[in-house]
Amino acid sequence: MCGDLRQMQLGSPFQWRDTASLSPGDGVTSTIPSLPASLSNDVRTILETVLSGQRISVREGVILHNECDLPTLSNVAYFLKQTRYGNSIFYNRNLHVNQTNVCVLACKFCAFRRGIKADDAYSLSVQEYLDRIEPFSEFITEVHTVGGLHPDWDIEHYQEMFKAFKIQYPNISLKALTAVEIKHLAEISNLSITETISRLKNSGLNSIPGGGAEILVDEIRDIICKGKESSEEYLEIHKIAHQLEIPTNCTMLFGTVESTLHRMIHLDKLRILQDETSGFQCFVPYPYLPDSSRLPEAQLATGNEILRMISLARIMLDNIPHIKAYRMNIGDKISSLALLSGADDIDGTVSHEEIMHLAGSTTPLNDLDVDLATLIESVGGVAVERNTDYTQFRNFRRNNPPDNNGLPMIPS
Ligand code: SF4
């Protein structure tokens, strides 16, 4: 069934373009945005620095975040995105499978984890894990697998799981295990981080997601996720992955108890590591979602703040190529605005995702890429499907282009 869907939505032939044929800017000429006269001298000077292609400091990032009006900030970030990718907006066809919700930690913001004896605790066997993928296997190009820190699963369990995955789905890329999961695996398997990642790579791991970064300032981590890896450990694990030629993503959870300064320090730490390794593919900022999890003191991010963070990410992270609108977290409406505020990538055709939904997200699952293309086109973008590591692309093509902005047509 899934194969039929692919033909229906993309047309044929099914052909990737490679990076070389994706011209920077995609033929679109961007005009440098004019800055409004009402800006303060500080904000104007910083934005002129950005528009001249120079890097700004943590202090300047804080000033922009707190003092620049949102339309100007978004416009500048959008301009930077347009100069790099034109109207192209990237997505991929992925499936999220959470292998277990059992976790030995209890991060304060987490609504997903369960103790091993909880009634709704689950741990997928290798076969159950493969079975979750099967219905989507002809449609997707990537599986994204993260979960809790299971007390009994060591490196051998994951080696078996990843090898079985690659035997059954050799053409699907495996993006799996956050930095803290890797640290946990290394500890219970009595291995170094390098040995752990090497073994996972040899068993089929293709890339590592960015989850768990939260805020890379330890005084904040002590409040929201005590016991998790330290800021330094997060960065070190990603650095080792990059050295082993495993690309990774990086994230930021904001809107808990951090300040603007903490957010900019976080971006700066990622930027410094990226200068050294160039191993980060994509940055994914997402706000804390209020709900059944346990962090009553969280300040919560407004829509304005979410768009500011997307814009600041594009402006500050001048060396991380892709900024993602994570629609499973921020919803389709804010995601579409994020695409006008510097994001060039939108989380793909996610078909099964639990962590964000347990934490209160209402974005519909099982969207197919036609829906995603509609969202992208609604803000003037061109939907471009990518593979996991952003090395191959193809434009989305409709068999039947929509008329009338998707509204029902009046019969003639
Ligand atoms: S965020 Fe991850 S490490 Fe923390 S409690 Fe939840 S599942 Fe466990």
Side-chain angles (χ1 to χ4, degrees), residues 161-175:
M161 186 170 135
F162 289 0
K163 282 178 186 165
F165 173 96
K166 279 295 169 183
I167 288 169
Q168 193 149 336
Y169 308 114
N171 298 322
I172 300 178
S173 189
L174 180 58
K175 181 169 76 178

mmCIF file with all atom_site columns, all heavy atoms in Angstrom, residues 161-175:
data_model
loop_
_atom_site.group_PDB
_atom_site.id
_atom_site.type_symbol
_atom_site.label_atom_id
_atom_site.label_alt_id
_atom_site.label_comp_id
_atom_site.label_asym_id
_atom_site.label_entity_id
_atom_site.label_seq_id
_atom_site.pdbx_PDB_ins_code
_atom_site.Cartn_x
_atom_site.Cartn_y
_atom_site.Cartn_z
_atom_site.occupancy
_atom_site.B_iso_or_equiv
_atom_site.pdbx_formal_charge
_atom_site.auth_seq_id
_atom_site.auth_comp_id
_atom_site.auth_asym_id
_atom_site.auth_atom_id
_atom_site.pdbx_PDB_model_num
ATOM 1   N N   . MET A 1 161 ? 19.773 -5.369 17.797 1.00 0.00 ? 161 MET A N   1
ATOM 2   C CA  . MET A 1 161 ? 18.634 -4.645 17.223 1.00 0.00 ? 161 MET A CA  1
ATOM 3   C C   . MET A 1 161 ? 19.033 -3.933 15.926 1.00 0.00 ? 161 MET A C   1
ATOM 4   O O   . MET A 1 161 ? 18.324 -3.999 14.914 1.00 0.00 ? 161 MET A O   1
ATOM 5   C CB  . MET A 1 161 ? 18.175 -3.622 18.271 1.00 0.00 ? 161 MET A CB  1
ATOM 6   C CG  . MET A 1 161 ? 16.949 -2.860 17.956 1.00 0.00 ? 161 MET A CG  1
ATOM 7   S SD  . MET A 1 161 ? 16.466 -1.965 19.476 1.00 0.00 ? 161 MET A SD  1
ATOM 8   C CE  . MET A 1 161 ? 16.107 -0.396 18.789 1.00 0.00 ? 161 MET A CE  1
ATOM 9   N N   . PHE A 1 162 ? 20.168 -3.271 15.940 1.00 0.00 ? 162 PHE A N   1
ATOM 10  C CA  . PHE A 1 162 ? 20.583 -2.500 14.761 1.00 0.00 ? 162 PHE A CA  1
ATOM 11  C C   . PHE A 1 162 ? 20.965 -3.434 13.601 1.00 0.00 ? 162 PHE A C   1
ATOM 12  O O   . PHE A 1 162 ? 20.658 -3.143 12.445 1.00 0.00 ? 162 PHE A O   1
ATOM 13  C CB  . PHE A 1 162 ? 21.763 -1.584 15.111 1.00 0.00 ? 162 PHE A CB  1
ATOM 14  C CG  . PHE A 1 162 ? 21.392 -0.420 16.008 1.00 0.00 ? 162 PHE A CG  1
ATOM 15  C CD1 . PHE A 1 162 ? 20.089 -0.243 16.459 1.00 0.00 ? 162 PHE A CD1 1
ATOM 16  C CD2 . PHE A 1 162 ? 22.361 0.494  16.412 1.00 0.00 ? 162 PHE A CD2 1
ATOM 17  C CE1 . PHE A 1 162 ? 19.746 0.830  17.289 1.00 0.00 ? 162 PHE A CE1 1
ATOM 18  C CE2 . PHE A 1 162 ? 22.022 1.572  17.235 1.00 0.00 ? 162 PHE A CE2 1
ATOM 19  C CZ  . PHE A 1 162 ? 20.719 1.734  17.683 1.00 0.00 ? 162 PHE A CZ  1
ATOM 20  N N   . LYS A 1 163 ? 21.619 -4.544 13.926 1.00 0.00 ? 163 LYS A N   1
ATOM 21  C CA  . LYS A 1 163 ? 21.976 -5.491 12.852 1.00 0.00 ? 163 LYS A CA  1
ATOM 22  C C   . LYS A 1 163 ? 20.716 -6.063 12.213 1.00 0.00 ? 163 LYS A C   1
ATOM 23  O O   . LYS A 1 163 ? 20.622 -6.188 10.986 1.00 0.00 ? 163 LYS A O   1
ATOM 24  C CB  . LYS A 1 163 ? 22.848 -6.614 13.416 1.00 0.00 ? 163 LYS A CB  1
ATOM 25  C CG  . LYS A 1 163 ? 24.289 -6.194 13.633 1.00 0.00 ? 163 LYS A CG  1
ATOM 26  C CD  . LYS A 1 163 ? 25.100 -7.329 14.233 1.00 0.00 ? 163 LYS A CD  1
ATOM 27  C CE  . LYS A 1 163 ? 26.506 -6.850 14.570 1.00 0.00 ? 163 LYS A CE  1
ATOM 28  N NZ  . LYS A 1 163 ? 27.228 -7.774 15.458 1.00 0.00 ? 163 LYS A NZ  1
ATOM 29  N N   . ALA A 1 164 ? 19.748 -6.435 13.056 1.00 0.00 ? 164 ALA A N   1
ATOM 30  C CA  . ALA A 1 164 ? 18.491 -6.987 12.520 1.00 0.00 ? 164 ALA A CA  1
ATOM 31  C C   . ALA A 1 164 ? 17.788 -5.939 11.655 1.00 0.00 ? 164 ALA A C   1
ATOM 32  O O   . ALA A 1 164 ? 17.230 -6.248 10.595 1.00 0.00 ? 164 ALA A O   1
ATOM 33  C CB  . ALA A 1 164 ? 17.587 -7.412 13.678 1.00 0.00 ? 164 ALA A CB  1
ATOM 34  N N   . PHE A 1 165 ? 17.834 -4.698 12.098 1.00 0.00 ? 165 PHE A N   1
ATOM 35  C CA  . PHE A 1 165 ? 17.226 -3.596 11.330 1.00 0.00 ? 165 PHE A CA  1
ATOM 36  C C   . PHE A 1 165 ? 17.865 -3.518 9.945  1.00 0.00 ? 165 PHE A C   1
ATOM 37  O O   . PHE A 1 165 ? 17.185 -3.430 8.919  1.00 0.00 ? 165 PHE A O   1
ATOM 38  C CB  . PHE A 1 165 ? 17.430 -2.278 12.097 1.00 0.00 ? 165 PHE A CB  1
ATOM 39  C CG  . PHE A 1 165 ? 17.008 -1.051 11.339 1.00 0.00 ? 165 PHE A CG  1
ATOM 40  C CD1 . PHE A 1 165 ? 15.748 -0.505 11.533 1.00 0.00 ? 165 PHE A CD1 1
ATOM 41  C CD2 . PHE A 1 165 ? 17.874 -0.435 10.442 1.00 0.00 ? 165 PHE A CD2 1
ATOM 42  C CE1 . PHE A 1 165 ? 15.352 0.628  10.825 1.00 0.00 ? 165 PHE A CE1 1
ATOM 43  C CE2 . PHE A 1 165 ? 17.484 0.703  9.743  1.00 0.00 ? 165 PHE A CE2 1
ATOM 44  C CZ  . PHE A 1 165 ? 16.225 1.231  9.931  1.00 0.00 ? 165 PHE A CZ  1
ATOM 45  N N   . LYS A 1 166 ? 19.192 -3.548 9.906  1.00 0.00 ? 166 LYS A N   1
ATOM 46  C CA  . LYS A 1 166 ? 19.890 -3.364 8.630  1.00 0.00 ? 166 LYS A CA  1
ATOM 47  C C   . LYS A 1 166 ? 19.705 -4.553 7.693  1.00 0.00 ? 166 LYS A C   1
ATOM 48  O O   . LYS A 1 166 ? 19.704 -4.397 6.466  1.00 0.00 ? 166 LYS A O   1
ATOM 49  C CB  . LYS A 1 166 ? 21.382 -3.103 8.878  1.00 0.00 ? 166 LYS A CB  1
ATOM 50  C CG  . LYS A 1 166 ? 21.668 -1.656 9.255  1.00 0.00 ? 166 LYS A CG  1
ATOM 51  C CD  . LYS A 1 166 ? 21.343 -0.701 8.110  1.00 0.00 ? 166 LYS A CD  1
ATOM 52  C CE  . LYS A 1 166 ? 21.358 0.743  8.555  1.00 0.00 ? 166 LYS A CE  1
ATOM 53  N NZ  . LYS A 1 166 ? 20.974 1.677  7.497  1.00 0.00 ? 166 LYS A NZ  1
ATOM 54  N N   . ILE A 1 167 ? 19.558 -5.746 8.287  1.00 0.00 ? 167 ILE A N   1
ATOM 55  C CA  . ILE A 1 167 ? 19.301 -6.918 7.434  1.00 0.00 ? 167 ILE A CA  1
ATOM 56  C C   . ILE A 1 167 ? 17.920 -6.772 6.792  1.00 0.00 ? 167 ILE A C   1
ATOM 57  O O   . ILE A 1 167 ? 17.743 -6.987 5.595  1.00 0.00 ? 167 ILE A O   1
ATOM 58  C CB  . ILE A 1 167 ? 19.398 -8.222 8.263  1.00 0.00 ? 167 ILE A CB  1
ATOM 59  C CG1 . ILE A 1 167 ? 20.866 -8.484 8.609  1.00 0.00 ? 167 ILE A CG1 1
ATOM 60  C CG2 . ILE A 1 167 ? 18.785 -9.407 7.507  1.00 0.00 ? 167 ILE A CG2 1
ATOM 61  C CD1 . ILE A 1 167 ? 21.082 -9.569 9.631  1.00 0.00 ? 167 ILE A CD1 1
ATOM 62  N N   . GLN A 1 168 ? 16.947 -6.356 7.604  1.00 0.00 ? 168 GLN A N   1
ATOM 63  C CA  . GLN A 1 168 ? 15.583 -6.278 7.079  1.00 0.00 ? 168 GLN A CA  1
ATOM 64  C C   . GLN A 1 168 ? 15.343 -5.024 6.231  1.00 0.00 ? 168 GLN A C   1
ATOM 65  O O   . GLN A 1 168 ? 14.598 -5.058 5.272  1.00 0.00 ? 168 GLN A O   1
ATOM 66  C CB  . GLN A 1 168 ? 14.584 -6.308 8.240  1.00 0.00 ? 168 GLN A CB  1
ATOM 67  C CG  . GLN A 1 168 ? 13.163 -6.542 7.769  1.00 0.00 ? 168 GLN A CG  1
ATOM 68  C CD  . GLN A 1 168 ? 12.336 -7.291 8.800  1.00 0.00 ? 168 GLN A CD  1
ATOM 69  O OE1 . GLN A 1 168 ? 12.864 -8.008 9.643  1.00 0.00 ? 168 GLN A OE1 1
ATOM 70  N NE2 . GLN A 1 168 ? 11.038 -7.136 8.723  1.00 0.00 ? 168 GLN A NE2 1
ATOM 71  N N   . TYR A 1 169 ? 16.005 -3.924 6.602  1.00 0.00 ? 169 TYR A N   1
ATOM 72  C CA  . TYR A 1 169 ? 15.753 -2.652 5.896  1.00 0.00 ? 169 TYR A CA  1
ATOM 73  C C   . TYR A 1 169 ? 17.076 -2.003 5.474  1.00 0.00 ? 169 TYR A C   1
ATOM 74  O O   . TYR A 1 169 ? 17.453 -0.935 5.985  1.00 0.00 ? 169 TYR A O   1
ATOM 75  C CB  . TYR A 1 169 ? 14.977 -1.687 6.810  1.00 0.00 ? 169 TYR A CB  1
ATOM 76  C CG  . TYR A 1 169 ? 13.731 -2.283 7.408  1.00 0.00 ? 169 TYR A CG  1
ATOM 77  C CD1 . TYR A 1 169 ? 13.614 -2.503 8.781  1.00 0.00 ? 169 TYR A CD1 1
ATOM 78  C CD2 . TYR A 1 169 ? 12.657 -2.654 6.588  1.00 0.00 ? 169 TYR A CD2 1
ATOM 79  C CE1 . TYR A 1 169 ? 12.469 -3.073 9.316  1.00 0.00 ? 169 TYR A CE1 1
ATOM 80  C CE2 . TYR A 1 169 ? 11.511 -3.227 7.120  1.00 0.00 ? 169 TYR A CE2 1
ATOM 81  C CZ  . TYR A 1 169 ? 11.427 -3.434 8.489  1.00 0.00 ? 169 TYR A CZ  1
ATOM 82  O OH  . TYR A 1 169 ? 10.299 -3.997 9.022  1.00 0.00 ? 169 TYR A OH  1
ATOM 83  N N   . PRO A 1 170 ? 17.790 -2.625 4.563  1.00 0.00 ? 170 PRO A N   1
ATOM 84  C CA  . PRO A 1 170 ? 19.128 -2.114 4.233  1.00 0.00 ? 170 PRO A CA  1
ATOM 85  C C   . PRO A 1 170 ? 19.123 -0.711 3.632  1.00 0.00 ? 170 PRO A C   1
ATOM 86  O O   . PRO A 1 170 ? 20.131 -0.017 3.679  1.00 0.00 ? 170 PRO A O   1
ATOM 87  C CB  . PRO A 1 170 ? 19.653 -3.152 3.225  1.00 0.00 ? 170 PRO A CB  1
ATOM 88  C CG  . PRO A 1 170 ? 18.443 -3.852 2.706  1.00 0.00 ? 170 PRO A CG  1
ATOM 89  C CD  . PRO A 1 170 ? 17.433 -3.826 3.799  1.00 0.00 ? 170 PRO A CD  1
ATOM 90  N N   . ASN A 1 171 ? 17.994 -0.290 3.072  1.00 0.00 ? 171 ASN A N   1
ATOM 91  C CA  . ASN A 1 171 ? 17.968 1.018  2.415  1.00 0.00 ? 171 ASN A CA  1
ATOM 92  C C   . ASN A 1 171 ? 17.401 2.139  3.284  1.00 0.00 ? 171 ASN A C   1
ATOM 93  O O   . ASN A 1 171 ? 17.240 3.263  2.819  1.00 0.00 ? 171 ASN A O   1
ATOM 94  C CB  . ASN A 1 171 ? 17.163 0.933  1.110  1.00 0.00 ? 171 ASN A CB  1
ATOM 95  C CG  . ASN A 1 171 ? 17.811 -0.025 0.137  1.00 0.00 ? 171 ASN A CG  1
ATOM 96  O OD1 . ASN A 1 171 ? 19.038 -0.090 0.044  1.00 0.00 ? 171 ASN A OD1 1
ATOM 97  N ND2 . ASN A 1 171 ? 16.998 -0.816 -0.543 1.00 0.00 ? 171 ASN A ND2 1
ATOM 98  N N   . ILE A 1 172 ? 17.070 1.823  4.514  1.00 0.00 ? 172 ILE A N   1
ATOM 99  C CA  . ILE A 1 172 ? 16.538 2.861  5.407  1.00 0.00 ? 172 ILE A CA  1
ATOM 100 C C   . ILE A 1 172 ? 17.652 3.298  6.355  1.00 0.00 ? 172 ILE A C   1
ATOM 101 O O   . ILE A 1 172 ? 18.348 2.470  6.946  1.00 0.00 ? 172 ILE A O   1
ATOM 102 C CB  . ILE A 1 172 ? 15.326 2.345  6.214  1.00 0.00 ? 172 ILE A CB  1
ATOM 103 C CG1 . ILE A 1 172 ? 14.204 1.910  5.255  1.00 0.00 ? 172 ILE A CG1 1
ATOM 104 C CG2 . ILE A 1 172 ? 14.812 3.423  7.163  1.00 0.00 ? 172 ILE A CG2 1
ATOM 105 C CD1 . ILE A 1 172 ? 12.977 1.344  5.945  1.00 0.00 ? 172 ILE A CD1 1
ATOM 106 N N   . SER A 1 173 ? 17.811 4.604  6.473  1.00 0.00 ? 173 SER A N   1
ATOM 107 C CA  . SER A 1 173 ? 18.862 5.126  7.339  1.00 0.00 ? 173 SER A CA  1
ATOM 108 C C   . SER A 1 173 ? 18.413 5.083  8.799  1.00 0.00 ? 173 SER A C   1
ATOM 109 O O   . SER A 1 173 ? 17.250 5.340  9.109  1.00 0.00 ? 173 SER A O   1
ATOM 110 C CB  . SER A 1 173 ? 19.167 6.568  6.923  1.00 0.00 ? 173 SER A CB  1
ATOM 111 O OG  . SER A 1 173 ? 20.303 7.016  7.600  1.00 0.00 ? 173 SER A OG  1
ATOM 112 N N   . LEU A 1 174 ? 19.341 4.757  9.666  1.00 0.00 ? 174 LEU A N   1
ATOM 113 C CA  . LEU A 1 174 ? 19.025 4.608  11.094 1.00 0.00 ? 174 LEU A CA  1
ATOM 114 C C   . LEU A 1 174 ? 19.641 5.757  11.884 1.00 0.00 ? 174 LEU A C   1
ATOM 115 O O   . LEU A 1 174 ? 20.861 5.862  12.023 1.00 0.00 ? 174 LEU A O   1
ATOM 116 C CB  . LEU A 1 174 ? 19.574 3.266  11.606 1.00 0.00 ? 174 LEU A CB  1
ATOM 117 C CG  . LEU A 1 174 ? 19.313 2.961  13.082 1.00 0.00 ? 174 LEU A CG  1
ATOM 118 C CD1 . LEU A 1 174 ? 17.833 2.959  13.412 1.00 0.00 ? 174 LEU A CD1 1
ATOM 119 C CD2 . LEU A 1 174 ? 19.939 1.611  13.460 1.00 0.00 ? 174 LEU A CD2 1
ATOM 120 N N   . LYS A 1 175 ? 18.759 6.616  12.393 1.00 0.00 ? 175 LYS A N   1
ATOM 121 C CA  . LYS A 1 175 ? 19.193 7.728  13.261 1.00 0.00 ? 175 LYS A CA  1
ATOM 122 C C   . LYS A 1 175 ? 18.727 7.357  14.660 1.00 0.00 ? 175 LYS A C   1
ATOM 123 O O   . LYS A 1 175 ? 17.523 7.269  14.915 1.00 0.00 ? 175 LYS A O   1
ATOM 124 C CB  . LYS A 1 175 ? 18.548 9.026  12.788 1.00 0.00 ? 175 LYS A CB  1
ATOM 125 C CG  . LYS A 1 175 ? 18.945 10.231 13.608 1.00 0.00 ? 175 LYS A CG  1
ATOM 126 C CD  . LYS A 1 175 ? 18.512 11.543 12.950 1.00 0.00 ? 175 LYS A CD  1
ATOM 127 C CE  . LYS A 1 175 ? 17.030 11.759 13.123 1.00 0.00 ? 175 LYS A CE  1
ATOM 128 N NZ  . LYS A 1 175 ? 16.559 13.019 12.547 1.00 0.00 ? 175 LYS A NZ  1
#
